[in-house]
């Protein structure tokens, strides 16, 4: 008899897991809290690495479709000094496909393909060790039992407490995100500044980064070190008040960088949290975690990549060992923990250098990455 498998969360981890299982003709129940795929803005662009996210897409059988949709030119990166001087202007070689960019919404739709997701099925709690398997309690009061529940429900996972008491900690760095639409026609000067990929300006303990998405959409991130309550007395829903506070924070920077904030629309507050580096847990039969639920780390271009590769690898392990599901999951966890621990160490150190008292740290990090 086929095992009853559920994945909680339809993000990069959960959808890749489900899509690879589907490719192996293994049934899987996908439980997603959002009421519909487009219920909220999907977020910015993701760069998918050849040996991580792209490998996962290959395992899902959709790598060719990814290549057709993705933007290799989006790998371009320009770095400015706070006075507007161009310090680096890196462009990918023709045919360079190491880390092409794709919009999150496009990636979601690509992975969704034939999957039958149960939308609007928020999970409240997971209880392992009941006589009939692992009990899933839903936010609407319903219950269902499975042989394996995979928590791919992100930073604030409701599945995680079934295996671990760890909770995310604030890094001391906050992002405030805004966006520009139709940049090529409405803001041609900023379109030239951003180019085909990203532009970053690094100052003392703060940075402004802008990334081109498809269709002339640009996401802008103001990044700064601040206590969690930096916005006390500020209404975060009041775009003009947030803009004024940010412009004061970046006072003295050259106009092109500040224009990215002046012309942005609404602002979204994203304090950065992380799980402890090398987060592991005592194996619990019938429950495991993937992606941010397992190893939330600073957003230095690897979280979705790891989440997807883990999803693909766990699905392959499950499909190859339907008779001994628990042993397959246990072996997968060991592999995931080792790899995620290495990346967590790298990204935590990277965040220290990108938002640093010495902005030359960020430049040096960029040079090291380009050289490697
Ligand atoms: C600004 C920013 C830029 C980034 N850029 C990159 C990048 O370029 N490359 C990269 O690799 N990574 C990047 N990341 C990191 C990346 O976004 C995450 O690591 C990745 O989304 C993790 O995928 P996931 O599937 O584990 O979790 P998520 O993407 O968080 O997906 C979790 C899913 O679970 C659902 N869910 C949550 N709770 C429940 C519940 N109780 N019941 C049911 N469903 C639930 C959510 O609705 C969501 O659909 C970036 C992050 C940020 C913040």
């Amino acid at each position: 008899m086929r095992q009853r498998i559920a994945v909680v969360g339809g993000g990069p981890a959960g959808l890749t897991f489900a899509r690879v299982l589907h490719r192996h003709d293994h049934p899987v129940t996908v439980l997603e809290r959002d009421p519909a795929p487009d219920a909220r803005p999907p977020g910015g662009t993701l760069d998918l690495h050849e040996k991580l996210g792209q490998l996962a897409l290959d395992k899902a059988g959709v790598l060719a479709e990814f290549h057709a949709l993705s933007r290799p030119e989006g790998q371009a990166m320009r770095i400015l000094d706070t006075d507007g001087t161009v310090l680096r202007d890196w462009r990918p070689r023709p045919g360079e496909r190491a880390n092409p960019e794709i919009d999150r919404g496009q990636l979601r739709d690509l992975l969704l393909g034939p999957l039958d997701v149960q939308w609007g099925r928020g999970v409240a709690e997971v209880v392992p060790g009941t006589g009939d398997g692992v009990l899933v309690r839903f936010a609407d009061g319903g219950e269902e039992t499975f042989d394996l529940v995979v928590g791919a429900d992100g930073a604030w996972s409701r599945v995680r407490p079934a295996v671990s008491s760890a909770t995310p900690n604030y890094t001391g760095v906050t992002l405030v995100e805004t966006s520009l639409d139709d940049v090529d026609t409405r803001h041609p000067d900023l379109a030239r500044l951003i180019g085909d990929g990203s532009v970053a300006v690094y100052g003392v303990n703060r940075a402004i980064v802008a990334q081109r998405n498809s269709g002339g959409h640009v996401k802008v991130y103001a990044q700064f070190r601040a206590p969690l309550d930096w916005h006390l007395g500020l209404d975060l829903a009041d775009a003009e008040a947030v803009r004024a506070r940010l412009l004061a924070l970046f006072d003295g920077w050259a106009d092109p960088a500040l224009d990215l904030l002046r012309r942005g629309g609404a602002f979204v507050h994203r304090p950065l949290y992380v799980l402890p580096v090398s987060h592991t847990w005592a194996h619990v039969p019938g429950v495991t975690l993937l992606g941010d639920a397992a190893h939330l780390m600073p957003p230095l271009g690897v979280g979705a990549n790891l989440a997807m590769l883990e999803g693909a690898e766990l699905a392959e392990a499950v499909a190859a060992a339907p008779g001994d599901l628990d042993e397959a999951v246990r072996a997968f966890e060991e592999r995931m923990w080792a790899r995620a621990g290495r990346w967590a160490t790298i990204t935590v150190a990277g965040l220290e250098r990108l938002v640093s008292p010495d902005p030359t740290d960020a430049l040096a990090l960029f040079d090291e990455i380009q050289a490697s």
Side-chain angles (χ1 to χ4, degrees):
M1 203 179 75
R2 282 290 170 90
Q3 309 272 8
R4 299 162 300 171
I5 297 179
V7 59
V8 183
L15 290 183
T16 311
F17 173 72
R19 190 67 196 265
V20 174
L21 272 186
H22 182 269
R23 197 178 187 204
H24 288 271
D25 291 324
H26 200 302
V28 55
T29 303
V30 186
L31 305 166
E32 167 56 50
R33 182 178 56 189
D34 286 347
D38 282 321
R40 59 189 165 92
T45 179
L46 290 170
D47 64 316
L48 295 191
H49 307 197
E50 225 161 11
K51 294 190 178 142
L52 296 172
Q54 291 185 54
L55 181 55
L57 291 173
D58 196 21
K59 290 175 185 293
V62 294
L63 186 59
E65 289 171 67
F66 166 77
H67 283 316
L69 283 170
S70 65
R71 291 173 280 110
E73 70 281 8
Q75 297 168 101
M77 178 81 187
R78 186 170 285 155
I79 299 182
L80 307 187
D81 205 344
T82 54
D83 66 5
T85 311
V86 177
L87 301 173
R88 298 288 185 276
D89 192 2
W90 184 85
R91 282 164 222 214
R93 290 184 306 274
E96 164 77 67
R97 288 193 173 272
N99 307 298
E101 297 277 343
I102 186 165
D103 290 7
R104 277 174 201 257
Q106 290 176 323
L107 177 66
R108 178 202 59 212
D109 292 347
L110 175 62
L111 288 169
L112 272 177
L115 294 177
D116 187 14
V117 173
Q118 297 190 12
W119 301 100
R121 292 220 82 194
V123 167
E125 191 190 11
V126 166
V127 185
T130 71
D132 185 34
V134 180
L135 180 72
V136 173
R137 290 207 171 99
F138 293 96
D140 65 7
E143 293 184 349
E144 218 172 313
T145 305
F146 297 91
D147 298 306
L148 174 65
V149 175
V150 176
D153 50 342
W156 304 101
S157 171
R158 292 300 190 99
V159 183
R160 191 191 301 125
V163 298
S164 163
S165 59
T167 52
N169 298 311
Y170 179 53
T171 57
V173 175
T174 281
L175 306 191
V176 180
E177 175 189 312
T178 187
S179 43
L180 306 164
D181 284 311
D182 299 325
V183 70
D184 299 291
T185 44
R186 291 165 67 182
H187 310 285
D189 54 334
L190 296 183
R192 279 192 298 278
L193 176 79
I194 298 159
D196 289 333
S198 303
V199 63
V201 191
Y202 296 105
V204 175
N205 283 330
R206 64 207 64 191
I208 296 176
V209 177
Q211 287 188 308
R212 185 183 278 270
N213 294 229
S214 67
H217 184 76
V218 168
K219 287 258 181 278
V220 179
Y221 304 96
Q223 317 180 347
F224 48 91
R225 288 197 177 274
L228 203 45
D229 63 358
W230 69 275
H231 53 87
L232 268 183
L234 178 69
D235 177 0
L236 288 172
D238 179 345
E240 292 320 313
V242 175
R243 193 188 319 279
R245 178 71 73 87
L246 292 178
L247 288 171
L249 195 62
F250 290 89
D251 186 35
W253 286 33
D255 275 336
L258 296 185
D259 283 345
L260 292 165
L261 302 176
R262 288 186 186 121
R263 299 194 218 158
F267 291 88
V268 184
H269 183 221
R270 298 193 189 281
L272 296 182
Y273 285 82
V274 289
L275 279 168
V277 168
S278 298
H279 171 228
T280 61
W281 55 90
H283 175 75
V284 174
V287 187
T288 194
L289 306 175
L290 297 177
D292 281 4
H295 49 64
L296 179 66
M297 54 185 81
L300 270 77
V302 82
N305 279 274
L306 286 176
M308 292 169 67
L309 186 56
E310 290 159 7
E313 287 180 348
L314 179 60
E316 285 186 341
V318 165
D324 195 354
L325 190 58
D326 197 50
E327 199 40 53
V329 173
R330 195 190 287 268
F332 160 79
E333 286 171 342
E334 296 287 342
R335 256 201 336 272
M336 169 174 70
W337 291 335
R339 183 172 49 211
R342 287 195 298 276
W343 279 108
T345 305
I346 291 169
T347 55
V348 165
L351 183 66
E352 288 302 307
R353 296 174 72 186
L354 283 184
V355 189
S356 146
D358 179 0
T360 63
D361 273 349
L363 204 58
L365 179 63
F366 173 80
D367 289 341
E368 285 166 27
I369 292 169
Q370 293 312 322
S372 66

